Amino acid sequence: MKIALIGATGFVGSALLKELLARGHSVRALLRDPAKLAAQPGLEVHQADATQAEAVAAAVQGVDAVLSAYNPGWGHPALFEEFLRGSAAITVGVKQAGVARLLVVGGAGSLYVAPGVQLVDTPQFPAEWKAGALAAREALNRLRGEQELDWAFVSPPIQLEPGERSGQYRLGGEELLSDAQGQSRISVADLAVALVDELEAPRHHRERFTVAY
């Protein structure tokens, strides 16, 4: 497949790039600064600002699917606003390009931990992550009304860590997944496995899902 990847130099995006290329897919990475990504077989880099719908549309033309790990950065002074601006531009740009499939990486904050209670709304949720979590939740809420694209939104577990690729994971829906020890975690390499599996054999259409060990 030919996959357009947004956020290819980030923590999640770099793992996605590695997994996609390892499986033989062609990757078109969208970057503001193409110099940040070294050339390698199977990769083409397009200069594009993900917060501009027209730039996204031009860059993703002709691909089979768009995989977005967009994040303006946890330290961005206007993280909430910029996250939503980029998310909206990506959705519009993908539609303008006529690409049907959009897979979006979000956050754990909007997963339910009790009936009617999402993780981001619990008292123990870290303040430093709240703006990003709220933005990702709002981006998901907006996607839920999108009826033209075949979209899917993945929420990782609480702990998204560096680590080995095992190829193992469990799938969930709207609720936070935890293991027998009560931990909600996955390596970024195995998150990438789950996402590329979803691209190759889609199981989620216009819905959110989660993965964890």
Side-chain angles (χ1 to χ4, degrees):
M1 298 172 70
K2 179 172 282 189
I3 306 297
L5 177 59
I6 299 170
T9 58
F11 179 54
V12 174
S14 57
L16 289 169
L17 177 60
K18 182 177 180 181
E19 183 70 20
L20 286 164
L21 292 176
R23 296 204 204 180
H25 297 292
S26 298
V27 179
R28 183 181 297 170
L30 279 60
L31 296 176
R32 284 184 178 178
D33 182 4
K36 288 185 176 181
L37 202 54
Q40 52 187 305
L43 172 67
E44 56 177 287
V45 180
H46 281 224
Q47 185 170 19
D49 181 349
T51 65
Q52 304 296 322
E54 294 78 10
V56 172
V60 306
Q61 195 81 35
V63 302
D64 296 305
V66 176
L67 180 47
S68 175
Y70 170 77
N71 189 325
W74 292 106
H76 196 288
L79 175 57
F80 183 88
E81 294 80 7
E82 193 71 2
F83 192 105
L84 290 178
R85 189 163 78 98
S87 298
I90 290 164
T91 300
V92 172
V94 172
K95 286 199 290 187
Q96 287 180 351
V99 179
R101 183 67 166 162
L102 171 63
L103 184 52
V104 177
V105 183
S110 58
L111 290 167
Y112 286 91
V113 294
V117 180
Q118 293 179 333
L119 180 64
V120 69
D121 295 323
T122 59
Q124 62 269 34
F125 193 87
E128 63 267 28
W129 304 115
K130 196 148 191 174
L134 291 172
R137 177 169 71 180
E138 179 59 24
L140 171 59
N141 289 338
R142 294 181 184 185
L143 264 180
R144 289 194 195 276
E146 174 54 55
Q147 294 300 313
E148 185 176 334
L149 291 174
D150 179 14
W151 61 268
F153 183 103
V154 62
S155 287
I158 293 174
Q159 294 173 262
L160 183 57
E161 313 158 330
E164 296 299 316
R165 181 194 188 280
S166 72
Q168 304 298 312
Y169 59 88
R170 290 184 297 144
L171 283 170
E174 294 286 333
E175 290 78 36
L176 185 75
L177 286 179
S178 299
D179 62 19
Q181 289 72 45
Q183 291 192 314
S184 175
R185 55 178 289 270
I186 199 168
S187 73
V188 70
D190 282 331
L191 175 66
V193 171
L195 286 161
V196 180
D197 284 351
E198 177 65 26
L199 284 174
E200 292 180 346
R203 287 185 275 187
H204 301 90
H205 303 278
R206 298 194 180 109
E207 63 182 353
R208 182 255 295 276
F209 66 101
T210 187
V211 296
Y213 290 137

